[in-house]
Amino acid sequence: MLQNPKRYTITAALPYTNGPIHIGHLAGVYVPSDIYSRYLRLQGRDVLFVCGSDEHGVAISMKAKKEGVTPQEVIDKYDGIIRKSFSDFGISFDNYSRTSAKIHHDTASEFFKTLYDKGDFIEEVTEQLYDAKADQFLADRFVVGTCPKCGNEEAYGDQCENCGSTLNATDLINPKSTITGETPIMKSTKHWFLPLDRYEDFLKEWILVGHKNDWKPNVYGQVKSWIDGGLEPRAVTRDLDWGIDVPVEGAEGKKLYVWFDAPIGYISSTKEWALREGKDWEPYWKDQDTKLVHFIGKDNIVFHCIIFPAMLKAEGSYILPDNVPANEFLNLEGNKLSTSKNWAVWLHEYLEEFPNQQDVLRYALTSNAPETKDNDFTWKDFQARNNNELVAIFGNFINRVVVLTNKYYEGFVPSPNEFSEVDEATLAELKAYPAVISSSIERYRFREALSELMNVARLGNKYLADEEPWKTIKTDPARVQTQMYVALQIAAALRILCEPFLPFTACKLSGILKTDLKLTWNDVTTNSDLIPAGHQIGEAELLFSKIEDEEIQKQIDKLEATKTANLAENKVVEPQKETIQYDDFAKMDLRVGTIIEAEKIPKANKLLILKIDTGIDVRTIVSGIAESFKPEEIIGKRVTVLVNLAPRNLRGVESQGMILMTNNAEGKLVFVNPDADGVANGETIN
């Protein structure tokens, strides 16, 4: 670990511009990186926080083909959505670029050319998967098949999303082209490879020895597994029609592989920032006194801890990351987040449906961050954290302090009198919190840090509850002056300490307290007058609002609708049965009937005894629908009945026909009625 760096370069993984940002991205990368950057700025550090849209590669081409538009239209659309979402959510990038920018194309091409000229690449003609029908080589994401490690039949050519294994397309069992569905053939093509095996000794020494004690176990473990398994050369070019041209002779029609050009996007984003701000970009990437930190999700660990460092080492003039605090995955309501299946909470939609509540989501995602293991986001937990913590603890303390100050002193901070032991102990504890929270943040334990921030609010609530100034004001008003002065110092400290986690709350609280925005993190420890006597604060207003059950149910219903739509889309329709003649069909006597009685058969979980008016008689039919319907629910229901089915004895009851049923998209039984909700064309009547 670099001690006392002169400056910090902080990167957040470049989001693919093939879709908007969802809560999994936020929890894994963007909220923790923003907390860290804001904290360092409050410390007065020299901080550069960069990111940008990742606009090359197969994911973009696939999206363009699916939507029937050009790749440029795709990246322009989603770059706009993503930029606005980050800005509205308060992610404080110093620069947000895009890899389609000329400065990035130039930077990535120059980086490749430097390594090429030094002889760091291996040039090889290899056999690659080729779709003869589409007449093109297949990039990894255009191939699906069975994962050789876990048996998942929907693994991509670069990664199995079920077990997380990194793959090559040629590793897949029974590969298929996602373009045509055809089985690809092998065809020769020339590419350039980065020989990772040459860097094994360097990576072992740098990571496995040098960062054994300061990198997160999940990151260290994945890197160790890769290195122990033996590193192999990895292609840095691809046969694609979208991306950065390979800048050497004989590479016509080939592009830089997206994993090679994307991390260089951090460097080009830095150059773009430096040009705009009139600064020198090189110290932020080439000075040994700079601390470089990559914030990523666990699916990017190999690229940022093995491949990109090998690239930087090969180039020779760049520093290496001091830490790569990757998070695990966040699930949603018990299921894996999925962009393609729309199983997500999209940031731009959240900001529309929960206006001015950015910090509630920031708080919920940080409190439940998947720092060491996969975690689950639920709307009920989101509601509970807002109502039981932000409203009841943080907001309650601030509201009480502001209301009492306005009530007793017309909003002016009172001058304290002699401090009691309780006052001094409370103020001493308050001064200790910045170091406690800092310790957690510096070790990338943001959940722990946020918990300690809430303990500051708890300290304030306990102080007021124990001191009871609303009672003391009647007997000892001089004492209340001191009590309220102490409480106001806690409130002012919260304004500073909450800013990395809850920036919108900090801004709102600053407006209420009318405090000096120049105060820094360390002022909480060193400054005894965070809010001085005689200073006038503003009127009380709620920092947080209670979230009602109806709002949460609306979000749960929205996800259920998505689940139903996915089931309908993925449902396999039964194939047509053997052809019959009209005479075969004419033998069936189908009648409309009405259920007039229904009861369960004792000790039979599935069977109901029904009395049905068929129009020709009232007859008894035994039906296996008891697990789907209660008897009282179906009385009066009009149904379709096969009346000329031979009678059959079921549990001692003679059944004189059969009711026709089908299933809806969720697999639930539905009485056959073409107008019934959820019954799709092609459903089998049985």
Side-chain angles (χ1 to χ4, degrees), residues 23-42:
I23 57 170
H25 302 129
L26 294 171
V29 177
Y30 304 109
V31 171
S33 59
D34 189 57
I35 291 171
Y36 189 64
S37 300
R38 287 176 177 273
Y39 157 74
L40 290 172
R41 292 190 195 108
L42 277 170

Side-chain angles (χ1 to χ4, degrees), residues 11-31:
T11 74
L14 308 187
Y16 259 139
T17 45
N18 67 332
I21 295 295
H22 59 58
I23 57 170
H25 302 129
L26 294 171
V29 177
Y30 304 109
V31 171

Side-chain angles (χ1 to χ4, degrees), residues 225-395:
S225 175
W226 256 67
I227 294 175
D228 288 350
L231 300 179
E232 298 177 355
R234 194 170 180 90
V236 298
T237 60
R238 270 292 183 258
D239 292 289
L240 285 174
D241 59 359
W242 180 250
I244 299 174
D245 293 331
V246 177
V248 296
E249 282 189 32
E252 291 73 22
K254 300 183 189 298
K255 308 292 182 183
L256 296 183
Y257 203 169
V258 67
W259 68 254
F260 182 86
D261 101 73
I264 297 171
Y266 302 137
I267 301 169
S268 59
S269 185
T270 302
K271 289 182 176 180
E272 188 176 80
W273 164 81
L275 282 170
R276 186 184 69 242
E277 300 296 326
K279 292 180 177 286
D280 181 3
W281 73 271
E282 290 202 353
Y284 292 87
W285 281 95
K286 298 187 175 184
D287 192 317
Q288 294 300 320
D289 285 332
T290 297
K291 183 170 183 172
L292 174 62
V293 183
H294 296 310
F295 283 88
I296 58 168
K298 72 174 178 182
D299 52 339
N300 267 324
I301 289 174
V302 168
F303 298 108
H304 286 73
C305 298
I306 292 179
I307 299 174
F308 190 42
M311 290 164 56
L312 297 175
K313 182 72 173 176
E315 198 280 344
S317 67
Y318 287 85
I319 58 172
L320 299 171
D322 187 81
N323 212 313
V324 186
N327 275 355
E328 299 293 290
F329 288 150
L330 185 73
N331 296 322
L332 172 60
E333 298 285 355
N335 292 305
K336 187 174 181 179
L337 280 153
S338 171
T339 298
S340 61
K341 295 177 181 177
N342 195 31
W343 189 254
V345 176
W346 302 106
L347 180 54
H348 67 292
E349 291 182 359
Y350 172 88
L351 294 170
E352 292 170 0
E353 294 165 0
F354 291 90
N356 302 316
Q357 296 189 72
Q358 298 97 322
D359 282 351
V360 181
L361 185 58
R362 288 177 68 109
Y363 182 84
L365 294 176
T366 306
S367 300
N368 194 34
E371 291 181 346
T372 55
K373 62 181 180 63
D374 291 359
N375 271 356
D376 194 39
F377 176 93
T378 70
W379 280 110
K380 289 290 187 184
D381 179 69
F382 167 83
Q383 180 188 26
R385 290 189 186 279
N386 178 77
N387 294 354
N388 302 338
E389 296 172 25
L390 288 177
V391 174
I393 299 171
F394 196 129

Side-chain angles (χ1 to χ4, degrees), residues 632-643:
E632 61 270 19
E633 290 177 344
I634 59 174
I635 293 174
K637 175 76 71 176
R638 288 169 65 79
V639 293
T640 305
V641 186
L642 178 61
V643 295

Side-chain angles (χ1 to χ4, degrees), residues 478-587:
R479 172 66 189 142
V480 175
Q481 286 182 226
T482 309
Q483 292 170 339
M484 293 310 303
Y485 174 85
V486 171
L488 282 159
Q489 300 311 309
I490 298 173
L494 275 170
R495 199 284 297 165
I496 299 167
L497 299 178
C498 82
E499 200 272 340
F501 309 94
L502 311 170
F504 295 91
T505 302
C507 185
K508 194 172 181 180
L509 186 49
S510 183
I512 294 171
L513 298 178
K514 297 182 179 178
T515 50
D516 186 356
L517 291 174
K518 294 179 181 177
L519 289 171
T520 67
W521 188 268
N522 294 326
D523 283 326
V524 178
T525 300
T526 60
N527 189 341
S528 297
D529 260 346
L530 293 175
I531 186 165
H535 172 85
Q536 187 171 24
I537 67 171
E539 295 292 327
E541 57 178 296
L542 293 180
L543 282 183
F544 308 100
S545 301
K546 188 177 180 183
I547 295 175
E548 302 296 339
D549 291 345
E550 296 77 26
E551 297 176 79
I552 296 303
Q553 191 59 48
K554 181 180 176 183
Q555 297 301 321
I556 293 172
D557 291 344
K558 187 176 173 182
L559 286 173
E560 285 301 317
T562 294
K563 189 179 290 185
T564 300
N566 286 336
L567 287 169
E569 186 176 333
N570 297 324
K571 188 176 177 67
V572 178
V573 177
E574 293 289 332
Q576 178 182 307
K577 295 179 181 178
E578 290 182 17
T579 301
I580 62 171
Q581 301 302 314
Y582 175 77
D583 289 345
D584 297 318
F585 176 75
K587 292 176 184 178

